[in-house]
Amino acid sequence: MSRILVTGGAGFIASHIVDAYLAAGHDVAVVDNLSNGKRENVQEAARFYEVDIRSPQLVEVFAEEKPEIVNHHAAQIDVRVSVEDPLFDADVNVLGMIKLLELCAKTGVKRFVFASSGGAIYGEPAVLPAPEESRIIPLAPYGAAKAAGELYIETFGRLHALSYAILRYGNVYGPRQDPLGEAGVVAIFSSAMLANNDVRIYGAGEQLRDYVYVGDVVSANVAALTRGDGISVNIGTGKGTSVNELFKEMAALTGYEREPIYCPRRAGELERTYLAVKKAKELLGWEPANDLKTGVQKTVEYFRKAKGTLFTK
Ligand SMILES: NC(=O)c1ccc[n+]([C@@H]2O[C@H](COP(=O)([O-])OP(=O)(O)OC[C@H]3O[C@@H](n4cnc5c(N)ncnc54)[C@H](O)[C@@H]3O)[C@@H](O)[C@H]2O)c1
């Protein structure tokens, strides 16, 4: 069993990872500044530090916890914020991450797991499903920061014998999801449909994304504790789903009978991206276990129960 520090562990994805690491018997601590996460997402069994990854207090957390593994999910996650304020985005997502890597190197952390983004770093991929060898062509500073983060890990890996796994997610959805994240559309559709409110689709609704269920992202993070050294792998489903298909699937599940309202396409939005996942199978022994229907069903169920308390801080 390992001592694991999870950054961003009060957020959507990493709070589920914390649950899984605890269930597997690991000793888990969480660092999160609660800028977007919620304290109640973190189980009592995990020690919680309300600390910014950029703060000098992080040194004390490392001294106290002596982590063997760091799983890094803390980030500024809003692509539009990265466009409006690229310096802030880079401050958290690049400089904050370098700070963390430096502490890992100084304190002898053995392994680093990083949440990157296949959707954001490949831009509009030339080949679909996009393999890991796709050119890195981010369309927003958020993607540029994720790509920079990957380069820094690889460099620290060479410099300090730090073993690492980089996981490039598709659009992650599921319980506890934030509407701002890369797959925010599932959370937005769920709550709008359950309340019988208007549902808006931007553009023709034919844009393709790789919607991957959070439970599958968690199992990839469990596998990444012990498998694959120095790897960068896509974590998705291998399939592209259009917003129109997602709308239909979710309308059927929620009993929503209205038509969507089509609005003008948003500037800078990707048309088609989904990820090849063969490499994750080879290197991590990982495959997604939930298809879109199963994952969306679990998600809608969560939002049905959470009705009225959504998106409150
Ligand atoms: N949701 C997706 O579809 C998706 C896709 C690809 C990659 N990712 C990455 O996965 C990670 C988790 O994303 P999420 O969707 O769960 O978002 P989230 O906002 O729910 O989680 C991020 C957490 O980091 C915390 N945080 C932000 N800035 C911090 C700072 N300076 N110091 C300490 N904590 C800080 C937030 O409070 C939040 O709890 C992020 O790195 C994100 O870029 C997400």
Side-chain angles (χ1 to χ4, degrees), residues 8 10-13 32-37 51-54 73-75 77 92 115-117 142 146 169-172 182-183:
F12 157 48
I13 300 172
D32 198 300
N33 68 355
L34 298 183
S35 56
N36 202 32
V51 168
D52 194 298
I53 53 164
R54 297 163 297 170
H73 274 71
I77 62 154
V92 178
S116 185
S117 167
Y142 170 80
K146 285 288 179 195
Y169 303 157
N171 291 53
V172 189
E182 291 180 55

Side-chain angles (χ1 to χ4, degrees), residues 190 194 250 253-254 296-304:
S190 292
L194 289 169
M250 295 188 68
L253 279 167
T254 54
V296 165
Q297 208 156 11
K298 292 178 190 172
T299 311
V300 166
E301 217 31 64
Y302 165 82
F303 281 104
R304 208 189 289 279

Side-chain angles (χ1 to χ4, degrees), residues 74-126:
Q76 185 302 108
I77 62 154
D78 191 329
V79 175
R80 268 165 282 171
V81 166
S82 84
V83 173
E84 281 155 25
D85 194 350
L87 284 179
F88 170 66
D89 182 78
D91 195 37
V92 178
N93 292 358
V94 182
L95 296 185
M97 177 156 171
I98 296 174
K99 181 142 202 207
L100 195 63
L101 284 166
E102 257 203 303
L103 270 171
C104 289
K106 277 188 188 145
T107 62
V109 167
K110 293 189 176 59
R111 188 159 170 84
F112 196 88
V113 179
F114 174 50
S116 185
S117 167
I121 67 172
Y122 302 141
E124 206 77 66

Side-chain angles (χ1 to χ4, degrees), residues 190-224:
S190 292
S191 38
M193 286 181 179
L194 289 169
N196 204 31
N197 287 338
D198 292 348
V199 171
R200 286 187 179 74
I201 292 180
Y202 295 90
E206 289 306 309
Q207 53 276 55
L208 297 179
R209 295 287 180 278
D210 193 333
Y211 295 101
V212 56
Y213 184 63
V214 70
D216 290 325
V217 170
V218 167
S219 60
N221 276 272
V222 170

